[in-house]
Amino acid sequence: MSRNPFNPSWGTRPPVLAGRQEILQAVFEDLAAGPGHANYHHVFYGPRGVGKTVLLTEIAEHVHREWEWAVVDYSGTPEYGPRQALAEAAPALLRQLGGRRASAQGLPRRVEAAAPVPGRPLRASVELPGVDASQFLPLLQRLAELAQKRGAGLLFVVDEVQRARAQPDLELLGNTVQQLERRRGLPVSMAMAGLHNTPRHLARACTFFERQDKVQVTDLGPDATRVAYLEPLATGGIAIDTEALELLVARSQGYPFAIQLYGHRAWERVGEGGRLTLAEAMIAVEDADRWLAVNLYEPRWDRLDTTERAMVKAIAALGGTMVATRDIATAVGRTPSQLSVARHALLNEHHVVHTPRYGHLAFDLPGFDRWLAQTQDLGSLRLPPPRRPPRSGPSP
Ligand SMILES: Nc1ncnc2c1ncn2[C@@H]1O[C@H](COP(=O)(O)OP(=O)(O)OP(=O)(O)O)[C@@H](O)[C@H]1O
Ligand SMILES: [Mg+2]
């Protein structure tokens, strides 16, 4: 059996990057404009599975392949930050940019220690101490200068940026890049991506980030969704009936992760050289929906407490997008301030909703509203009265 063109694992390269041409073109134009350009750095944010990582990957691969840029690429965690990423990447980048001579010249000791020794595996990244904060700027500067001499640049990629520590990690990165790119005119650019709270998280790190444009990554439109199904199916030698395609398009609602999952299941049902009919597509979609329920929706639901559950049910009952917190409060029988702890947890801990506009909430997990409508009773939303009603003053 030949390879399924819809790769099932999260975060890997999609068979076709549909509907992102405009974003990519703008990014490459911004980078080509050089240091000092207003949009020299790029921040993407959006819900899980919308395609942020594949966008970063495409940008990084393009600048590396087409322009021979140096790339430092990592996924943020509290333990692994820009200092570790730079320590790990520097030896190979110095070789890439400067040849043997540059790699031998006075690397910070810790970086030398991290350099791969032929025949010995690279140390596990969690063990890497990272370059000292004081060495971070000189080392990045050196790499950027070498890149500049070759007419290239350096791209610092941070994925899952909401998980990276605002202090000291993102603050160090932001301040250093500001120094090098803005003040010294060196070609160091950042490309970052994270969930909806990313812009606020970055603003807490340093003021430089506040001033960068942030691009919201949204679901694909119907035309791009069709392309995202048709191209890989054609590659896999599968014909598809129009009704089957329209079913897949309607059910995935442009959510890239669902497209990939539905496409994968559909391909599996038909196999190379086959034809996807409406009946087969329906089975594939139901199969994939069960997977989504078990792996995405049910685990999220299990983690929510009673108030949080009442809130998400109310959001689903009220339409799922752009629901006023005030209306949610009325629906569950609380005041907005009585819901503020649960609201905060839904936003920042469970990542189930985001704030599309001040005072409003919307689901961050596409399809969650449909799953709630199918599995929960959205007719009964009211919470029992609060256990200790606030006293209005001393009793007479
Ligand atoms: N434009 C696209 N066209 C086709 N498939 C896509 C597109 N964007 C993303 N995908 C597919 O959707 C899935 C999710 O993409 P990706 O992992 O980049 O999402 P993400 O936003 O980084 O999610 P998370 O927040 O969970 O990390 C991947 O399997 C990817 O192959
Ligand atoms: Mg990702």
Side-chain angles (χ1 to χ4, degrees):
M1 196 171 168
S2 72
R3 208 172 68 87
N4 189 330
F6 293 91
N7 194 319
S9 55
W10 287 65
T12 52
R13 228 179 153 169
V16 51
L17 191 57
R20 303 295 190 216
Q21 218 38 48
E22 238 171 81
I23 296 185
L24 289 170
Q25 202 175 330
V27 168
F28 300 139
E29 279 171 18
D30 292 338
L31 295 181
H37 178 63
N39 296 330
Y40 200 59
H41 308 283
H42 298 91
V43 179
F44 303 102
Y45 67 98
R48 286 245 168 256
V50 79
K52 302 178 296 297
T53 299
V54 295
L55 207 51
L56 287 183
T57 307
E58 185 63 26
I59 293 168
E61 288 189 1
H62 179 97
V63 300
H64 181 68
R65 192 179 58 233
E66 303 292 323
W67 302 341
E68 295 182 7
W69 275 39
V71 176
V72 180
D73 187 352
Y74 82 101
S75 189
T77 71
E79 298 82 30
Y80 190 91
R83 294 189 301 110
Q84 284 79 10
L86 188 59
E88 204 166 354
L93 291 183
L94 283 166
R95 274 195 301 279
Q96 177 197 330
L97 296 169
R100 286 193 158 277
R101 222 160 52 82
S103 62
Q105 282 168 7
L107 267 181
R109 229 158 20 100
R110 286 189 175 188
V111 177
E112 260 182 327
V117 177
R120 227 194 294 153
L122 190 66
R123 273 198 275 161
S125 48
V126 277
E127 285 175 23
L128 273 180
V131 295
D132 285 343
S134 62
Q135 294 169 335
F136 190 77
L137 185 140
L139 182 54
L140 201 57
Q141 176 169 349
R142 175 131 171 261
L143 290 167
E145 283 167 353
L146 287 169
Q148 191 178 41
K149 268 196 209 145
R150 302 168 69 98
L154 186 145
L155 184 69
F156 215 112
V157 181
V158 189
D159 199 3
E160 299 285 347
V161 76
Q162 82 284 342
R163 296 195 62 208
R165 290 184 300 177
Q167 266 86 27
D169 289 344
L170 293 173
E171 184 181 33
L172 174 71
L173 179 64
N175 287 339
T176 305
V177 171
Q178 181 178 19
Q179 277 280 335
L180 297 178
E181 185 258 327
R182 290 285 131 126
R183 310 236 165 88
R184 300 182 200 180
L186 286 168
V188 189
S189 166
M190 293 179 288
M192 309 199 256
L195 296 176
H196 270 291
N197 55 343
T198 291
R200 250 180 250 149
H201 187 57
L202 285 172
R204 275 195 292 272
C206 66
T207 52
F208 183 53
F209 287 131
E210 274 175 5
R211 298 190 289 272
Q212 306 307 317
D213 265 357
K214 322 281 187 305
V215 178
Q216 186 166 6
V217 185
T218 54
D219 291 336
L220 303 179
D223 287 343
T225 305
R226 282 186 194 96
V227 172
Y229 281 118
L230 286 175
E231 283 204 17
L233 284 174
T235 312
I238 289 182
I240 179 169
D241 288 348
T242 311
E243 309 83 58
L245 175 65
E246 290 314 309
L247 174 78
L248 294 179
V249 170
R251 288 297 288 269
S252 49
Q253 297 177 306
Y255 177 38
F257 181 66
I259 295 171
Q260 180 264 321
L261 187 66
Y262 291 165
H264 176 72
R265 292 292 150 115
W267 196 94
E268 266 185 345
R269 292 206 63 76
V270 182
E272 195 169 12
R275 175 172 208 95
L276 187 67
T277 61
L278 179 61
E280 292 288 358
M282 281 166 100
I283 299 173
V285 164
E286 273 164 29
D287 196 22
D289 278 348
R290 263 194 302 278
W291 190 97
L292 285 169
V294 170
N295 292 284
L296 290 194
Y297 307 140
E298 286 168 11
R300 292 280 200 311
W301 177 255
D302 289 346
R303 283 200 290 270
L304 306 183
D305 70 18
T306 311
T307 310
E308 292 157 2
R309 286 183 179 185
M311 281 185 76
V312 296
K313 276 168 52 179
I315 296 169
L318 294 167
T321 49
M322 197 70 81
V323 182
T325 316
R326 170 167 32 79
D327 296 339
I328 301 169
T330 309
V332 302
R334 291 282 192 279
T335 64
S337 64
Q338 284 170 334
L339 294 182
S340 69
V341 173
R343 181 181 165 279
H344 187 267
L346 289 176
L347 278 168
N348 301 306
E349 198 183 311
H350 305 300
H351 298 292
V352 173
V353 296
H354 68 275
T355 45
R357 202 191 323 144
Y358 181 76
H360 291 70
L361 293 175
F363 280 124
D364 220 5
L365 199 59
F368 195 40
D369 47 352
R370 197 176 55 218
W371 177 82
L372 285 165
Q374 283 165 358
T375 58
Q376 307 299 320
D377 178 10
L378 300 187
S380 73
L381 298 173
R382 289 185 84 77
L383 284 163
R387 250 181 273 152
R388 273 181 294 143
R391 286 157 161 267
S392 48
S395 31

